[in-house]
């Protein structure tokens, strides 16, 4: 018992160290966000003597118009990915049908295509489809991209669920949709939560594609919209960092929320713990 | 638990539905605002609208908005929008590549000058407006032919080396100086250097003094500093080559065909003492740069100087405003011109320095404008932009040096005024006329040479081989041979 | 459901599995339009000389021939191999270590807190991380030289030195704890039956022994997953070299992804860029296939 307490303490210390290093950039981001231009040039680690709270004012005014867009897109993407990939992963994991393996590998192979390669052909296509300057032009490709990894993760998880659970459902004559909805999904909360967080984050931080496809100011997401923080031929980092801080707040909220609801330990169903 | 997840799903579904109602399926053809309303050439009164795109730059939007407002007063039927669509010029390139591929490009852009518009647009097969015919037109804002708004030498530089045509019009000049920390100079009793040996002596003294300050903060992650050095030095040490190479166009500049011919016939041989000497001189100079300069950008170099950790750095006139306000150096400072290359350093030097500089903020008119037949309207706006009155307003606002003649230099730019004759980009070292690939290759090899990874001979050999390879590629692509005099005889 | 069913004629199997196909349909439709079509278009371009404009000249296997005799490409492969070697070992071991440490905490609340914090690090924009490291690596004003001088190593050029640049870029991934990989491995460890752990404790198994004979085998599936993901990520990523060194000095930090980007957007040689992409795709497929075959695991 004492041994365990000692081990726990050591673990806590090490973990704190790791978290500190992982979070270090966030600290710098916060520090830089209140500095003046001169002080930023004078050194990244220096503590500011000339605190510029108005960086946040400027950032706020720039970020707010775009926040709704980022939120809408990210939520739509998460919902889309969860629905589409759950269906597909369930099918791939629990059914046997002709062509199952080739289909699965074809989907996984999509992860191996460098995205920058696809930029121009994809743009030509969405231009021809008249999707430019709409939310869809950002949502649909993001859902498509997010599903690939999601299917990869979910299929592995679904396949690992023990057979016995399904037996009992099937004996009661449940339809397939019910099995998915009532049995599999509740058990898969941790992995679904992971998928949700991952896709929210990727969608939120996607810069290049929205920059290229959305020119209407009113539709731009945050990371694309917060430009012209330039005062000089290099960027004005103070307000820019403040903008990044503000932009990451919703992200933090979402993570907190999803950690609570989805990854709160496995209390439902017959899963080992 | 399930209740929560159901609610979650239904909330999201409502959001998505709402989004689809609001967002719709997008406008029917991308930039609807910019669709022409059938303006035929030159008829005032009919509503015309077009869009200018660029990347975010200091004062760019403010300046352009100001000009647009002024223009609206005299031409209320013209609706212009200016958008900063990307944060950096490289992101802008990605944006433009995509827009052009999908036929969504704006009517005009503000881009780099020199060969960039050719490399980025014409080389890919897009028809960008050639502005030569407009030079002879009378500008309604100066009542003189438009070409008189500019210096001939600047117009010459804006022309493409590939086809000699004017496909862009640069509106501001970038002048380059060397900024130095006066406090350190005073402390060590140094004088402002006039010649290259004097500069080196100063740098050496700073290094020997061991006061924890690097002599020079340079940068070599991109080609800029190298380009500047090469052009500045070449104007003094390689000018004698001009008559031998500038055989077709006779414009004191090297067109690509002239350059290719010179390489193919051996006139340009990197082993020649003048050319080899320039590379060696650069290595000599960079020997005094702070360690790590190879990976630094101009901003990092400038920051190092601001922190007092380096005594000198390159500075361009765009720095003037920040150095007077936001990022005022916490020490006394001033600038001097890049020092003259004297004969004892390079025997072939004519010791007649040309200004270290660049052209920027160039308008390029895109194919979409030509399709909509509104290029005359856009050129009118550009003529307005480059008229002395507007140019002066812009200069005052942003502290720039316009290319338009007849503008008094901004009083705040004392330290950045051009002092020497204009330069012609006649260096034989950066291989710029051979295209981006050749230029990048030279930079890469130069980085290794400067670091001491390769010796001068291996360096010259690799540059030589690449130069000849690129030349052969161009000749093959354009069907040039010795027999048809590189495209000038059929 | 398993094992002893007779083989059915094809159409029968298809009909039987109509649910399966129906569930797959939305995904396939979406992917067909937004993934497969553009990819095929892009890969098609590797057989053309394409400058990104409206004209493309078919030139068969010329691009491939040029690529396979291109020393720069091989150098980029060498560089990315070093990336992979590091990222896919340390990058898999660190999350494993952290996951194990999390399990050794006595307080569930503390575990939850740490877990949330690690996941939160996903929100750090990569541009901030890069900025910090670029500053740290500056030999004059950064901190790295000061740090290594404590260890007795002389001042280095870091990003500006040919022999140190690649290592510097690789090291900027410190502390190499990818939150997603952590979550995956953690979920795997969580799924280990408590009964197994109890049994091992009763038998007097030491912690290390337990780790080797229980934990490792039972999360090997997740480890394999994370390994594959990190290989794929390392193969394709080029953002860091792009911003930190531009591929230099020389081509010391050039990776295939960056080479592809530069070929396309800097040198207007989009056909060649597609060729590089094509070859990279084949390579990644091969690696994934090999890993799947070589490392057998429990749930697959």
């Amino acid at each position: 018992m004492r041994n365990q307490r000692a081990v726990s303490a050591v673990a806590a210390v090490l973990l704190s160290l790791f978290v500190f290093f992982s979070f270090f950039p966030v600290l710098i981001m916060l520090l830089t966000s209140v500095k003046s231009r001169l002080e930023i040039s004078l050194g990244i680690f220096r503590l500011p003597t000339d605190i510029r709270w108005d960086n946040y004012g400027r950032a706020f005014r720039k970020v707010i118009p775009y926040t709704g867009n980022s939120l809408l897109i990210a939520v739509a993407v998460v919902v889309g990915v969860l629905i589409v990939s759950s269906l597909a992963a369930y099918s791939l994991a629990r059914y046997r049908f002709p062509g199952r393996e080739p289909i699965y590998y074809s989907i996984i192979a999509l992860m191996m295509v460098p995205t920058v390669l696809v930029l121009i052909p994809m743009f030509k296509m969405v231009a021809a489809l008249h999707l430019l300057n709409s939310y869809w032009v950002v949502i649909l490709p993001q859902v498509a991209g997010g599903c690939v990894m999601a299917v990869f993760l979910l299929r592995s998880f679904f396949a690992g669920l023990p057979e016995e659970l399904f037996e009992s459902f099937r004996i009661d004559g449940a339809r397939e949709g019910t099995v998915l909805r009532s049995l599999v999904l509740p058990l898969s909360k941790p992995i679904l939560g992971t998928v949700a967080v991952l896709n929210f984050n990727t969608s939120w931080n996607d810069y290049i594609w929205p920059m290229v496809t959305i020119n209407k100011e009113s539709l731009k997401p945050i990371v694309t919209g917060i430009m012209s923080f330039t005062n000089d031929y290099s960027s004005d980092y103070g307000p820019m960092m403040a903008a990044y801080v503000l932009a990451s707040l919703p992200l933090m909220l979402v993570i907190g929320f999803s950690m609570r609801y989805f990854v709160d330990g496995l209390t439902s169903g017959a899963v080992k713990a | 638990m399930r209740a929560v997840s159901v609610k979650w799903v239904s909330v999201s579904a409502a959001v998505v539905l709402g989004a689809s109602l609001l967002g719709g399926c997008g406008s029917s053809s991308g930039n609807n605002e910019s669709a022409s309303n059938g303006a035929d050439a030159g008829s005032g009164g009919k509503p015309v609208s077009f869009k200018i795109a660029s990347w975010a730059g200091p004062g760019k939007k403010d300046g352009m908005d100001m000009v647009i407002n002024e223009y609206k007063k005299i031409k209320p039927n013209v609706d212009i929008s200016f958008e900063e669509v990307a944060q950096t010029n490289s992101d802008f390139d990605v944006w433009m590549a995509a827009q052009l591929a999908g036929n969504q490009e704006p009517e005009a852009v503000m881009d780099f000058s020199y060969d960039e518009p050719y490399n980025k647009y014409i080389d890919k097969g897009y028809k960008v407006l050639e502005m030569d015919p407009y030079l002879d037109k009378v500008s309604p804002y100066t009542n003189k032919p438009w070409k008189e708004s500019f210096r001939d030498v600047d117009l010459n530089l804006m022309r493409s080396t590939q086809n000699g045509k004017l496909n862009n019009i640069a509106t501001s000049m970038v002048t380059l100086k060397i900024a130095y920390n006066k406090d350190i100079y005073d402390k060590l009793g140094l004088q402002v250097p006039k010649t290259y040996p004097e500069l080196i002596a100063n740098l050496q003294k700073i290094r020997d003094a061991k006061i924890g300050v690097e002599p020079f903060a340079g940068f070599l992650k991109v080609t800029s500093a190298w380009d500047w050095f090469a052009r500045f030095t070449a104007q003094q040490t390689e000018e004698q080559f001009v008559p031998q190479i500038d055989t077709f166009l006779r414009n004191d500049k090297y067109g690509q065909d002239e350059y290719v011919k010179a390489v193919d016939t051996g006139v340009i041989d990197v082993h020649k003492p003048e050319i080899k000497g320039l590379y060696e001189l650069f290595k000599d100079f960079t020997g005094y740069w702070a360690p790590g300069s190879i990976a630094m950008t101009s901003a990092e170099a400038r920051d190092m100087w601001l922190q007092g950790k380096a005594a000198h750095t390159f500075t361009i006139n765009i720095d003037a405003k920040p150095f007077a306000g936001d990022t005022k150096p916490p020490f006394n400072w001033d600038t001097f011109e890049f020092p003259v290359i004297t004969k004892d350093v390079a025997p072939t030097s004519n010791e007649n320095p040309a200004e270290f500089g660049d052209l920027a903020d160039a308008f390029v008119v895109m194919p979409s404008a030509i399709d909509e037949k509104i290029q005359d309207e856009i050129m009118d706006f550009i003529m307005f932009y480059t008229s002395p009155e507007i140019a002066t307003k812009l200069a005052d606002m942003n502290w720039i040096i316009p290319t338009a003649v007849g503008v008094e230099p901004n009083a705040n730019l004392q330290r950045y005024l051009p002092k020497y004759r204009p330069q012609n980009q006649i260096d034989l070292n950066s291989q710029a006329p051979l295209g981006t690939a050749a230029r990048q290759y030279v930079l890469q090899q130069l980085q290794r040479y400067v670091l001491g990874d390769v010796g001068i001979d291996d360096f010259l050999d690799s540059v030589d081989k690449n130069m000849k390879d690129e030349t052969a590629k161009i000749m093959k692509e354009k069907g040039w041979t010795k027999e048809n005099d590189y495209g000038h005889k059929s | 459901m398993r094992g002893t069913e007779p083989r059915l004629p094809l159409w029968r199997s298809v009909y039987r599995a109509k649910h399966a196909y129906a569930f797959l349909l939305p995904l396939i439709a979406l992917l067909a339009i937004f993934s497969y079509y553009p990819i095929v278009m892009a890969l098609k371009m590797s057989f053309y000389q394409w400058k990104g404009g409206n004209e493309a000249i078919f030139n068969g296997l010329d691009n491939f021939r040029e690529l396979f005799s291109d020393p720069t490409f091989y150098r980029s492969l060498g560089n990315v191999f070093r990336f992979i070697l590091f990222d896919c070992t340390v990058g898999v071991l660190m999350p494993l270590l952290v996951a194990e440490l999390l399990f050794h905490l006595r307080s569930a609340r503390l575990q939850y807190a740490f877990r949330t914090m690690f996941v939160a690090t996903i929100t750090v924009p990569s541009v901030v991380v890069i900025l910090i490291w670029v500053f740290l690596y500056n030999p004059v004003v950064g901190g790295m030289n000061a740090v290594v001088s404590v260890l007795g190593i002389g001042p280095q050029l870091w990003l500006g030195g040919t022999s140190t640049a690649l290592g510097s870029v690789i090291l900027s991934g410190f502390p190499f704890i990818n939150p997603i990989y952590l979550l995956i491995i953690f979920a795997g460890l969580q799924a280990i039956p408590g009964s197994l752990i109890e049994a091992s404790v009763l038998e007097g198994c030491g912690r290390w022994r337990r780790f080797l004979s229980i934990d490792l085998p039972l999360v090997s599936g997740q480890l394999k997953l994370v390994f594959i993901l990190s290989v794929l990520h390392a193969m394709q990523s080029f953002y860091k070299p792009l911003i930190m060194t531009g591929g230099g000095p020389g081509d010391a930090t050039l990776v295939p992804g960056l080479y592809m980007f530069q070929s396309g957007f800097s040198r207007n040689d989009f056909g060649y860029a597609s060729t590089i992409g094509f070859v990279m795709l084949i390579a990644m497929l091969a690696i994934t296939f090999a890993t799947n075959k070589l490392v057998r695991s429990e749930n697959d």
Side-chain angles (χ1 to χ4, degrees), chain A residues 77-206:
Chain A
V77 167
V78 166
V79 168
V81 169
L82 284 178
I83 295 178
V84 174
S85 60
S86 300
L87 286 171
Y90 178 67
S91 166
L92 289 169
R94 310 292 323 180
Y95 286 115
R96 276 217 159 66
F97 53 86
R100 185 179 82 160
E101 293 305 305
I103 291 182
Y104 176 63
Y105 282 110
S106 313
I107 296 175
I108 299 311
L110 287 175
M111 277 201 285
M112 305 175 203
V113 178
T115 37
V116 67
L117 190 69
V118 180
L119 189 80
I120 297 222
M122 184 110 97
F123 183 83
K124 273 172 112 152
M125 184 183 71
V126 296
L129 288 175
H130 297 304
L131 286 174
L132 288 177
N133 280 316
S134 71
Y135 288 120
W136 291 114
V137 77
V138 179
I139 294 177
L140 291 173
Q142 281 180 357
V143 172
C147 274
V148 176
M149 167 83 140
V151 164
F152 191 45
L153 292 175
L154 289 177
R155 193 202 93 129
S156 165
F157 190 89
F158 289 170
L161 293 173
E163 205 46 51
E164 307 81 57
L165 299 171
F166 289 90
E167 298 285 324
S168 46
F169 255 70
R170 292 242 169 72
I171 286 175
D172 290 345
R175 286 175 48 233
E176 289 309 322
T178 322
V179 177
L180 178 61
R181 197 159 39 90
S182 320
L183 176 66
V184 176
L185 288 184
L187 289 178
S188 317
K189 276 203 188 154
I191 200 75
L192 288 177
T194 308
V195 167
V197 165
L198 188 62
N199 280 289
F200 196 93
N201 184 61
T202 325
S203 170
W204 195 264
N205 284 326
D206 192 11

Side-chain angles (χ1 to χ4, degrees), chain B residues 106-117:
Chain B
E107 283 73 23
V109 298
M110 201 177 226
D111 207 335
F112 289 129
S113 185
Y114 298 136
D115 272 325
E116 296 296 320

Side-chain angles (χ1 to χ4, degrees), chain A residues 9-73:
Chain A
V10 167
V13 166
L14 279 177
L15 285 172
S16 308
L17 209 65
F18 288 145
V19 165
F20 172 72
F21 284 128
S22 297
F23 253 106
F24 193 64
V26 176
L27 293 174
I28 298 292
M29 206 162 78
L30 290 171
L31 199 67
T32 313
S33 64
V34 291
K35 280 186 180 172
S36 67
R37 282 226 69 215
L38 179 64
E39 294 217 315
I40 293 173
S41 289
L42 290 181
I44 273 204
F45 296 132
R46 274 175 58 137
L47 292 170
T49 50
D50 172 19
I51 307 238
R52 296 283 180 89
W53 294 112
D54 64 304
N55 281 351
Y56 274 96
R58 285 176 64 188
F60 194 73
R61 261 174 270 133
K62 281 239 188 263
V63 164
I64 280 300
Y66 304 116
T67 310
N69 296 331
S70 283
L71 265 175
L72 201 144
I73 294 173

Side-chain angles (χ1 to χ4, degrees), chain B residues 90 93-94 97-98 100-101 103 118-121 123-126 212 214 221 290-297 300 304 307 309 436-437 440 443-445 447-448 451 453 473 477, chain C residues 49-55 66 72 75 134-135 138-141 156-157 159-163 241-251 254 261-262 264-268 270:
Chain B
S90 37
D93 289 346
V94 173
L100 282 166
N103 292 322
Y118 187 94
N119 287 334
K120 290 206 272 198
Y121 310 123
D123 199 35
K124 290 185 185 174
Y126 297 112
E214 294 293 330
K221 196 196 236 160
S293 294
I294 308 295
M296 294 211 290
T297 58
E300 289 165 59
M304 194 187 273
Q307 292 169 41
K309 289 278 187 339
T436 333
Q440 288 295 329
L443 176 71
Q444 267 186 1
Q445 298 310 312
Q447 286 174 336
R448 299 167 74 198
L451 279 175
D453 293 337
K473 262 196 213 154
E477 199 186 309
Chain C
Q49 186 194 21
W50 181 41
K51 291 196 176 174
N54 286 326
E55 20 180 84
E66 197 186 326
T72 316
R75 209 143 31 227
V134 164
F135 179 78
N138 188 307
V140 177
V141 299
Q156 300 293 318
L157 291 174
L159 291 173
T162 321
S163 50
L242 173 69
I243 308 281
M244 288 174 127
T245 60
D251 44 25
L254 189 70
F261 181 80
Q262 282 177 349
F265 291 98
S266 302
R267 289 194 279 274
N268 281 355
F270 281 96

Side-chain angles (χ1 to χ4, degrees), chain B residues 146-382:
Chain B
W146 192 41
K147 67 173 167 225
E148 291 183 24
S149 297
F150 307 98
R151 300 189 303 181
D152 271 341
V153 63
D154 290 331
L155 282 175
N156 212 10
L157 279 176
M158 296 177 212
R159 292 212 156 83
S160 157
T161 57
Q162 309 256 17
N163 62 4
K165 302 265 196 319
L166 187 71
N167 51 44
N168 68 83
I169 194 86
T171 58
S172 68
M173 272 198 278
V174 172
T175 52
L176 197 90
K177 306 283 177 196
I178 295 183
Y180 70 100
N181 185 323
K182 231 177 186 174
D183 291 345
I184 294 181
Y185 263 53
D186 291 340
K187 182 165 162 181
L188 298 176
L190 300 173
Q191 303 292 328
V192 171
K194 288 262 170 351
T195 68
Y196 183 80
E198 285 171 17
L199 172 68
I200 295 295
N202 281 2
L203 297 176
Q204 185 66 50
K205 283 201 195 113
I206 295 172
R207 177 168 277 173
D208 292 337
K210 290 204 190 333
I211 47 174
V213 170
E214 294 293 330
F216 199 101
F219 59 95
L220 204 58
K221 196 196 236 160
V222 291
T223 54
S224 338
W226 155 242
D227 282 339
W228 297 330
F229 179 91
R231 288 178 208 157
F232 177 83
T233 311
Q235 203 77 42
Q236 296 171 62
T237 64
E238 292 174 359
E239 205 166 26
Q240 63 276 23
F241 282 98
V242 174
Q244 300 173 40
I245 304 179
D246 184 27
T247 48
F248 295 138
L249 291 170
R250 306 279 152 125
N251 56 0
D252 280 339
K253 200 176 98 151
Y254 298 147
Q256 193 183 55
D257 46 0
E258 296 168 339
Y259 202 89
V260 162
K261 176 172 178 179
V263 172
D264 203 37
T265 53
V267 173
I268 299 180
D269 175 359
V270 293
H271 294 94
K272 285 193 178 168
E274 296 87 349
I275 306 180
K276 175 176 171 183
L278 201 154
Y279 289 124
E280 288 175 324
L281 201 66
F282 188 67
K283 177 162 170 150
D284 185 40
F285 179 38
T286 55
Y288 293 94
W289 286 11
S293 294
I294 308 295
M296 294 211 290
T297 58
S298 55
E300 289 165 59
R302 185 206 51 189
D303 283 349
M304 194 187 273
W305 180 77
L306 278 173
Q307 292 169 41
K309 289 278 187 339
H312 304 82
T313 188
F314 292 115
T315 178
I316 56 179
N317 56 330
I318 301 180
D319 288 331
K321 216 171 184 189
F323 282 170
D326 271 5
T327 45
K328 197 165 150 129
F331 44 77
N332 291 310
W333 68 286
D334 208 332
T335 63
F336 56 78
E337 285 71 40
F338 199 84
V340 176
I341 313 283
T342 48
K343 283 201 167 51
D344 52 325
V345 171
T348 59
S349 174
N350 56 29
E351 296 188 357
N352 184 1
E355 192 65 34
F356 226 32
D358 231 333
L359 294 174
D361 296 333
F363 282 107
V364 184
V365 180
M366 292 279 126
S368 50
I370 304 172
D371 288 342
E372 312 277 1
K373 297 200 180 28
I374 55 173
Q375 65 264 37
D376 285 352
E377 277 71 17
I378 300 184
M379 289 309 294
D380 186 80
F381 173 73
I382 296 178

Side-chain angles (χ1 to χ4, degrees), chain C residues 59-221:
Chain C
N59 66 2
L61 293 173
D62 278 355
N63 287 342
F64 289 91
R65 248 174 252 136
E66 197 186 326
L67 184 67
F68 288 122
S69 58
D70 184 352
T72 316
F73 178 60
Y74 289 112
R75 209 143 31 227
S76 72
L77 281 179
N79 288 339
V80 82
F81 179 70
R82 278 184 211 115
F83 256 103
I84 293 177
L85 209 61
F86 195 85
D87 274 358
C88 302
T89 47
V90 178
V92 173
L93 290 175
M94 281 304 287
L96 180 62
L97 172 66
V98 173
E100 282 285 348
L101 284 176
L102 282 174
F103 263 104
H104 281 97
L105 289 175
R106 282 180 61 214
S107 150
R109 223 183 246 170
L110 204 59
Q111 193 193 71
Y112 175 71
F114 272 122
R115 210 158 24 124
T116 313
M117 281 197 274
F118 275 114
V119 172
T121 62
I122 213 182
T123 65
V124 179
S126 45
V127 62
V128 177
V129 177
I130 292 177
L131 262 178
I132 294 174
W133 280 99
V134 164
F135 179 78
L136 272 176
Y137 277 135
N138 188 307
V140 177
V141 299
M144 280 307 276
N145 273 338
V147 166
V148 297
S149 69
V150 169
L151 300 169
I153 308 175
Q156 300 293 318
L157 291 174
W158 304 111
L159 291 173
T162 321
S163 50
T164 53
L166 189 63
S168 306
V169 177
I170 294 178
L171 273 178
S172 66
F174 182 82
F176 305 107
I177 308 171
N178 183 311
I180 297 299
Y181 300 165
L182 174 63
L183 278 180
I184 295 174
I185 296 179
F186 186 77
L189 282 177
Q190 227 174 7
I192 296 180
S195 45
L196 267 181
I197 312 252
E198 279 162 27
S200 74
V201 169
L202 281 173
E203 280 178 37
C205 249
R207 208 164 272 116
W208 185 242
R209 182 108 185 281
R210 190 173 71 221
F211 173 71
L212 285 178
S213 44
I214 299 185
D215 290 1
L216 265 189
L218 288 180
V219 297
S220 60

Side-chain angles (χ1 to χ4, degrees), chain A residues 36-38 40-43 52 71-72 75-76 78-79 82-83 119-120 123-124 127-136 139 181-182 186 189 207-208 211-217 219-220 223-224 226-236 240 244 257 261-262 264 267, chain B residues 1-2 4-5 8-9 12-13 15-16 18-20 22-31 33 51 56-59 61 83-88 91-92 94-95 97-104 298-299 302-304 306-307 314-316 318-319 322 326-330:
Chain A
S36 67
R37 282 226 69 215
L38 179 64
I40 293 173
S41 289
L42 290 181
R52 296 283 180 89
L71 265 175
L72 201 144
V75 168
V78 166
V79 168
L82 284 178
I83 295 178
L119 189 80
I120 297 222
F123 183 83
K124 273 172 112 152
L129 288 175
H130 297 304
L131 286 174
L132 288 177
N133 280 316
S134 71
Y135 288 120
W136 291 114
I139 294 177
R181 197 159 39 90
S182 320
K189 276 203 188 154
Y207 170 67
I208 298 276
M211 172 187 82
V212 164
T213 54
I214 298 188
N215 290 326
K216 235 197 251 183
E217 279 296 310
L219 295 176
K220 287 188 186 176
V223 288
T224 311
I226 51 170
M227 296 171 204
S228 39
F229 269 133
T230 51
N231 219 352
D232 189 336
Y233 62 104
S234 71
S235 310
D236 196 359
M240 196 191 273
Y244 278 127
F257 179 77
Y261 275 99
F262 292 106
D264 68 345
T267 58
Chain B
M1 291 250 177
R2 199 166 333 147
V4 171
S5 47
W8 179 236
V9 170
S12 323
V15 167
V16 173
S20 51
L22 290 173
C25 261
S27 42
S28 60
S29 67
N31 301 322
E33 305 107 70
K51 183 166 116 161
K61 187 149 175 65
E83 276 179 31
E84 289 178 320
V85 294
Q87 232 171 356
T88 61
D91 285 345
F92 180 75
V94 173
W95 185 85
Q99 306 303 312
L100 282 166
N103 292 322
Q104 301 289 330
S298 55
R302 185 206 51 189
D303 283 349
M304 194 187 273
L306 278 173
Q307 292 169 41
F314 292 115
T315 178
I316 56 179
I318 301 180
D319 288 331
D326 271 5
T327 45
K328 197 165 150 129

